[in-house]
């Protein structure tokens, strides 16, 4: 995309935000939620369950989603009913504050993070404001344990940004920006420069792990909760296998372990995590696809079941969710199967709040002939062994690339 087109898209994007926000405010609407581990609601609540789905919207992303879609989820049947579309450009990753009063999004190909209010009556969202996150194409957003700071992984810029959250849920001017340094990996096309793809707090909230696909490193930072400033850990990173292209990281909820999905290497690495020093030590690496698969593949998402007994990872190419059993003694993984996602390129997946259903979002920019098949496919999770079985439902939605759930 040239500079003129980018500037024009930003102007259009801002007009859409303001127009949508004003219209929804006048109608008395407002609304909801976002991230993965940060703000999962309590299971068993009597309140209504809503799903918020971000999508790619621009031709550059081969996207044709309209923006952020809001769905009501029926607790008995599991059916999704569409409630709202808030038109916004490329809301590529969403997260919620802990109280689930506000939803936050980053946007592919621009350098902004946006805030939305959640209406506790109907789950709708209203645009609040936007701030620069300091780098083009932010792809992930996390909120610190105090609820005061947003941390973004700025993929194209090779940086990590920090933006404050005000008491009213709006965003303040950026408080910090750190450019990542290192040596490019061996893939001249995908690893020519730094490409942070994830910024995740460890369970204690003291450290932030940032997998860098371009530099084959997982960086670790500390965040000063008073100033919103980032400090590199000592040591500041752990190196991965050359050409692995680390993409996302997931911490074990009970053991001192972390798991990384390597996008370019199509592998899952297990790390021992020192919760006092913030260091990562690799102890295992396994393919994310079966030995019988010989085609092209790119790893995408990774998550640990709340029980801590299973790790899931998504494959674009093999088009599956890989399932690994976690050894209860040392945390290493054993492949136990995979579930076809019944569509192309599962860029993202998420658990429902009760962790009984896994939802695979099949949409990606350029890893399949069709780009995507515009579906979210639910799988029932066997609570005994973690295996996945399709529920038989298919949710049609354009270019889905992120899902969050909230009870309102």
């Amino acid at each position: 995309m040239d500079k003129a087109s980018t500037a024009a898209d930003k102007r259009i994007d801002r007009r859409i935000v303001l127009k949508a926000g004003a219209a929804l405010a006048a109608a008395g609407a407002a609304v909801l939620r976002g991230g993965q581990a940060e703000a999962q609601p309590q299971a068993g609540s009597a309140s209504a369950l809503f799903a918020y789905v971000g999508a790619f919207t621009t031709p550059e992303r081969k996207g044709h989603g309209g923006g952020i879609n809001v769905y009501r989820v029926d607790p008995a049947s599991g059916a999704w009913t569409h409630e709202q579309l808030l038109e916004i450009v490329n809301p590529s990753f969403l997260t919620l504050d802990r109280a689930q009063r506000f939803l936050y999004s980053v946007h592919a190909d621009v350098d902004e993070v946006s805030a939305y209010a959640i209406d506790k009556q109907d789950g709708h969202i209203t645009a609040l404001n936007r701030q620069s996150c300091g780098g083009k194409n932010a792809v992930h957003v996390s909120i610190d344990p105090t609820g005061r700071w947003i941390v973004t992984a700025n993929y194209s810029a090779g940086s990590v940004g920090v933006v404050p959250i005000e008491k009213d849920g709006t965003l303040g001017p950026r408080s910090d920006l750190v450019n990542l340094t290192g040596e490019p990996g061996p893939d001249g096309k995908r690893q020519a420069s730094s490409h942070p793809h994830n910024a995740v707090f460890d369970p204690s909230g003291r450290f932030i792990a940032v997998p860098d696909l371009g530099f084959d490193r997982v960086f670790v930072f500390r965040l000063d909760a008073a100033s919103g400033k980032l400090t590199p850990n000592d040591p500041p990173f752990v190196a991965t296998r050359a050409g692995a292209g680390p993409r996302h990281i997931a911490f074990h909820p009970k053991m001192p372990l972390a798991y990384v999905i390597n996008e370019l290497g199509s592998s899952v690495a297990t790390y021992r995590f020192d919760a006092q020093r913030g260091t990562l030590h690799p102890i295992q690496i396994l393919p994310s696809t079966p030995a019988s698969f010989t085609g092209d593949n790119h790893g995408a998402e990774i998550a640990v079941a709340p029980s801590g007994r299973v790790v899931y990872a998504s494959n674009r190419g093999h088009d599956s969710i890989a399932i690994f059993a976690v050894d209860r003694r040392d945390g290493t993984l054993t492949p136990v199967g995979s579930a076809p996602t019944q569509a192309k390129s599962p860029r993202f997946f998420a658990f429902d709040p009760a962790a009984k259903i896994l939802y695979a979002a099949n949409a990606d920019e350029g890893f399949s002939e069709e780009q995507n098949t515009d579906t979210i496919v639910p799988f029932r999770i066997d609570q005994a062994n973690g295996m996945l079985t399709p529920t038989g439902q298919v949710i049609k939605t354009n270019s889905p690339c992120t899902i969050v759930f909230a009870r309102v």
Side-chain angles (χ1 to χ4, degrees), residues 106 145 156 172 224-225 235-236 255-256 261 282 360 386:
V106 285
S156 295
D224 187 314
M255 299 171 69
I261 180 76

Side-chain angles (χ1 to χ4, degrees), residues 45-92:
S45 169
S47 53
L49 179 63
F50 289 87
Y52 300 80
V53 179
F56 291 124
T57 65
T58 62
E60 291 79 9
R61 291 285 163 183
K62 297 185 178 179
H64 47 278
I68 300 175
N69 282 281
V70 181
Y71 295 86
R72 184 184 294 268
V73 182
D74 185 275
S77 68
W80 288 28
T81 302
H82 190 262
E83 295 283 341
Q84 180 194 14
L85 168 63
L86 192 148
E87 294 183 327
I88 187 72
V89 172
N90 287 332
S92 57

Side-chain angles (χ1 to χ4, degrees), residues 287-335:
S288 63
T289 57
S292 59
F293 180 72
T294 59
D296 292 331
N297 187 76
H298 294 82
E301 183 61 287
I302 191 163
V304 187
S307 67
R309 297 195 298 266
V310 183
V311 169
Y312 299 95
S314 68
N315 291 299
R316 298 169 295 175
H318 188 246
D319 297 329
S320 66
I321 305 296
I323 307 165
F324 299 88
V326 178
D327 189 290
R328 296 187 181 185
R329 295 166 300 174
D330 62 10
T332 55
L333 303 180
T334 299

Side-chain angles (χ1 to χ4, degrees), residues 36 63 93 151 153 183 246 254 340 344 365 399:
Q36 198 144 282
F93 201 90
V151 180
E183 297 296 325
K254 302 174 184 177
K344 298 291 185 181
E365 71 280 29
S399 303

Side-chain angles (χ1 to χ4, degrees), residues 382-397:
D382 188 314
Q383 299 301 305
N385 57 23
M387 300 303 285
L388 302 175
T389 303
T391 66
Q393 297 172 319
V394 175
I395 299 140
K396 294 293 292 183
T397 186

Side-chain angles (χ1 to χ4, degrees), residues 132-177:
S132 169
C133 58
K136 183 180 178 182
N137 193 18
V139 292
H140 187 266
V141 57
S142 293
I143 299 176
D144 84 305
T146 71
R148 296 176 56 194
W149 309 100
I150 276 180
V151 180
T152 66
N154 306 326
Y155 180 88
S156 295
S159 63
V160 180
V162 183
V163 175
I165 301 174
E166 307 295 350
K167 291 182 179 180
D168 63 358
T170 60
L171 300 169
R174 188 180 66 251
S175 62
D176 203 6
L177 182 68

Side-chain angles (χ1 to χ4, degrees), residues 8 14 23 27 62 77-78 109 140 179 202 277 284-285 314 365:
R14 291 178 186 276
K62 297 185 178 179
S77 68
D109 297 327
H140 187 266
N179 293 311
D202 79 299
R277 299 181 58 227
Q284 182 193 35
I285 188 166
S314 68
E365 71 280 29

Side-chain angles (χ1 to χ4, degrees), residues 169-367:
T170 60
L171 300 169
R174 188 180 66 251
S175 62
D176 203 6
L177 182 68
V178 174
N179 293 311
L180 302 179
T181 59
E183 297 296 325
D187 187 324
K189 182 177 180 181
R190 297 294 312 281
Q191 296 185 302
S193 62
S194 169
H195 292 311
H197 214 299
N198 209 203
V200 176
F201 285 88
D202 79 299
S204 75
R206 297 174 58 201
F207 302 98
I208 308 164
V210 181
D212 190 320
L213 185 148
F215 284 169
D216 285 329
R217 292 177 174 181
V218 180
F219 290 92
V220 180
F221 292 92
R222 295 173 183 258
L223 175 68
D224 187 314
S227 65
K229 300 294 184 181
L230 294 169
T231 302
N233 196 47
D234 182 18
F237 65 87
V238 61
T240 71
R241 180 180 288 177
R247 177 184 172 97
H248 280 194
I249 186 169
F251 287 91
H252 195 282
K254 302 174 184 177
M255 299 171 69
L257 299 161
Y259 304 94
V260 172
I261 180 76
N262 295 308
E263 177 173 335
L264 304 183
S266 292
S267 58
V268 174
T270 302
Y271 292 83
R272 187 171 293 114
F273 177 65
D274 187 324
Q276 298 302 312
R277 299 181 58 227
T279 55
L280 293 162
H281 176 70
I283 58 175
Q284 182 193 35
I285 188 166
L286 294 170
S288 63
T289 57
S292 59
F293 180 72
T294 59
D296 292 331
N297 187 76
H298 294 82
E301 183 61 287
I302 191 163
V304 187
S307 67
R309 297 195 298 266
V310 183
V311 169
Y312 299 95
S314 68
N315 291 299
R316 298 169 295 175
H318 188 246
D319 297 329
S320 66
I321 305 296
I323 307 165
F324 299 88
V326 178
D327 189 290
R328 296 187 181 185
R329 295 166 300 174
D330 62 10
T332 55
L333 303 180
T334 299
V336 294
S338 64
T341 57
Q342 305 179 19
K344 298 291 185 181
S345 295
R347 177 186 178 88
F348 182 83
F349 64 84
F351 304 120
D352 77 310
K356 293 183 178 180
I357 303 293
L358 182 150
Y359 291 90
N362 299 293
D364 203 7
E365 71 280 29
F367 288 105

